[in-house]
Amino acid sequence: MDAHCGTQPPGRLVPRIDRNRCEGKGDCVAVCPFGVFSLGTLEPAERRSLSLVGQLKGWAHGWQQAFTPRASACEACGHCVRACPERAITLMRADANNPRHAPTAADRR
């Protein structure tokens, strides 16, 4: 991957992970040229907010999910969106003042 393939300045758009869809397969980690993603275990407190389907998926996959500890390095190349087999990743405008766009506690790890 070309490290300069991004379409936006770093941090303008950031990946958001749908916790009910993510199965922690790591395709996003493998394709991201900016090192935005990591894999980890979803904390018990965060598991409770999942839908029933999300909880079943989480349990089946050992609660492994993708996280975005370096979201501010994202240059919106879109490789992660295309690589995710669960379609759990979207790119959103970074806006810390809007709770809908702000990173979750899970993503800050």
Side-chain angles (χ1 to χ4, degrees):
M1 299 273 159
D2 179 9
H4 301 289
C5 62
T7 62
Q8 298 289 321
R12 180 174 288 172
L13 295 175
V14 293
R16 289 290 171 256
I17 300 169
D18 182 337
R19 296 277 162 230
N20 288 301
R21 289 180 175 234
C22 183
E23 295 179 2
K25 292 180 179 169
D27 295 13
C28 53
V29 176
V31 301
C32 181
F34 308 107
V36 170
F37 297 91
S38 67
L39 290 181
T41 305
L42 194 64
E43 297 292 327
E46 296 160 333
R47 298 172 192 173
R48 288 189 283 276
S49 67
L50 297 176
S51 68
L52 177 60
V53 172
Q55 289 182 10
L56 290 171
K57 278 183 153 188
W59 177 81
H61 295 281
W63 300 107
Q64 290 297 295
Q65 290 206 348
F67 298 94
T68 57
R70 297 193 64 239
S72 61
C74 179
E75 293 186 21
C77 66
H79 295 315
C80 58
V81 174
R82 289 186 294 279
C84 182
E86 293 85 31
R87 296 175 34 173
I89 302 172
T90 55
L91 295 175
M92 297 183 73
R93 182 171 300 281
D95 183 356
N97 297 322
N98 184 337
R100 182 170 173 260
H101 298 173
T104 65
D107 289 324
R108 291 189 186 111
R109 315 186 211 181

